[in-house]
Amino acid sequence: MHLFLKTETDFYTSNPRVLHVAPEYCFIDRFEKHLGENYITADIESPLAKVKMDLHDIPFEDNSFDVVFCNHVLEHVNDDVRCMQEIRRVLKPDGFALCQSPQRYDLETTYEDASITDPKEREIHFLQDDHLRIYGRDFGKQLEKSGFTVVPVNIIEKLGTTESNRMSLPLEEIIYMCKK
């Protein structure tokens, strides 16, 4: 994500208002130093977050943020489309959201089965015991269903395999730049 923000956006040279859902520890200090009060962290339970919130009902006004980060969250929520719509709602018209999630690239479509409730079975089916789904190659289309225009970015192609391997980047991952 850092590499994408640095090479493909003006994130580090501007001062966007950012909502970071389920903030990754490695970014918090860096983003707070860069953005100050424009950086808002949010989570339903994490002590790292400034705001306690349920992604199904984001407590901010429409068009509040230039950037929204939501990484490795949508596979955990009951209604992922509703959460995507909420992210879109709080995003400014010229802003962008990065919504990353675990994917199985061998699956054409997202696999979801609400009858699987046993944590051991969820781990087998969805890769983790608290996941409710595993996205397939259609993840970008899932984001589009919520109203986003999605621009898939293959940062590996831009960097090349040698450089990507040197940085230990996941070679299959696509970054989904979501816009209103």
Side-chain angles (χ1 to χ4, degrees):
M1 187 169 94
H2 164 72
L3 188 60
F4 173 82
L5 292 172
K6 186 177 174 183
T7 62
E8 303 295 319
T9 74
D10 67 350
F11 182 83
Y12 289 113
T13 57
S14 63
N15 191 26
R17 185 155 190 248
V18 176
L19 176 62
H20 194 165
V21 180
E24 297 88 352
Y25 185 74
C26 63
F27 289 121
I28 294 173
D29 287 344
R30 175 181 292 172
F31 290 171
E32 281 185 342
K33 186 177 180 180
H34 171 59
L35 301 168
E37 291 182 9
N38 274 350
Y39 179 59
I40 298 169
T41 56
D43 195 284
I44 198 164
E45 61 187 32
S46 173
L48 299 175
K50 294 175 188 173
V51 175
K52 299 294 180 210
M53 71 169 211
D54 183 336
L55 193 57
H56 293 86
D57 188 26
I58 298 176
F60 293 101
E61 293 182 19
D62 296 1
N63 307 310
S64 295
F65 296 96
D66 301 294
V67 178
V68 177
F69 299 130
C70 183
N71 299 313
H72 294 256
V73 174
L74 295 170
E75 68 276 10
H76 295 273
V77 299
N78 288 327
D79 186 345
D80 60 338
V81 173
R82 165 82 177 150
C83 293
M84 293 172 198
Q85 290 169 338
E86 278 292 282
I87 292 168
R88 185 179 180 282
R89 180 184 66 76
V90 300
L91 192 64
K92 290 181 181 178
D94 59 346
F96 70 89
L98 295 184
C99 300
Q100 297 299 107
S101 217
Q103 284 181 263
R104 281 194 39 203
Y105 295 94
D106 63 323
L107 292 178
E108 184 176 333
T109 59
T110 296
Y111 171 49
E112 189 170 11
D113 183 343
S115 72
I116 301 172
T117 58
D118 178 69
K120 289 180 183 176
E121 288 296 312
R122 282 187 177 169
E123 190 168 341
I124 291 167
H125 289 269
F126 309 126
L127 305 180
Q128 196 167 303
D129 64 4
D130 59 346
H131 287 185
L132 303 180
R133 66 192 55 81
I134 183 70
Y135 292 100
R137 291 189 312 273
D138 66 334
F139 183 50
K141 294 200 184 312
Q142 296 289 342
L143 292 162
E144 287 174 345
K145 282 184 187 177
S146 66
F148 280 120
T149 298
V150 178
V151 179
V153 178
N154 187 330
I155 199 85
I156 304 307
E157 284 181 0
K158 291 176 180 270
L159 290 172
T161 306
T162 302
E163 186 67 6
S164 299
N165 281 329
R166 187 184 73 73
M167 291 189 221
S168 299
L169 298 175
L171 298 180
E172 292 182 315
E173 187 166 10
I174 301 296
I175 294 175
Y176 298 95
M177 172 84 100
C178 302
K179 297 186 168 244
K180 273 192 163 177

